[in-house]
Amino acid sequence: MLPLKMRCGLLVLAVTAALGGSVALAQNLDRGKPATKLFAESCASCHRSPRGLSKGRFHLTLYLFLQQHYSSGSSSSWALTSYLESVDSGKRVSTKSAAKTGASRSRLLRPPAPVPVR
């Protein structure tokens, strides 16, 4: 037989393995969330608007910065990066297209020509 100290040690080891043996699985809490919600939850406390946050930054450096400091995974940081860049690019496009839509909108609001009767 084994000495008493050895049996106690094995008993403690078996109890420790049985109680602490389960592995805790980490969850990605950002999975499946749209980029606007990610911005609202993680960035809106410091930034009032997403406009201008990606200005002057390369796509890759912005992604790496967001991944390191703000997001919990690579997919959420790509989504945030794309969202921030689309907001800034949309701003430039909307100012140019606003002048064009004023002229085209007046044509859309005009009533149609009367239908000729046969």
Side-chain angles (χ1 to χ4, degrees):
M1 284 300 280
L2 295 173
L4 183 61
K5 279 188 169 184
M6 183 75 122
R7 280 189 278 175
C8 288
L10 287 175
L11 179 66
V12 168
L13 182 65
V15 169
T16 305
L19 294 177
S22 64
V23 177
L25 298 175
Q27 294 178 345
N28 184 357
L29 298 176
D30 293 338
R31 182 185 300 155
K33 290 183 183 176
T36 53
K37 188 168 185 174
L38 290 173
F39 179 82
E41 290 178 353
S42 60
C43 306
S45 60
C46 298
H47 302 282
R48 286 181 23 205
S49 169
R51 295 197 188 275
L53 295 179
S54 69
K55 188 175 184 180
R57 292 180 178 84
F58 292 113
H59 190 78
L60 182 62
T61 56
L62 181 60
Y63 160 74
L64 292 173
F65 176 78
L66 291 173
Q67 185 179 17
Q68 185 177 10
H69 296 285
Y70 291 104
S71 64
S72 62
S74 62
S75 62
S76 59
S77 50
W78 273 120
L80 267 174
T81 301
S82 300
Y83 170 66
L84 293 175
E85 288 182 341
S86 71
V87 167
D88 283 343
S89 68
K91 180 181 174 185
R92 283 185 237 119
V93 171
S94 66
T95 57
K96 292 178 183 176
S97 64
K100 293 178 185 176
T101 58
S104 64
R105 183 173 281 185
S106 65
R107 279 185 255 136
L108 292 175
L109 296 177
R110 188 179 65 200
V115 178
V117 179
R118 291 186 188 184

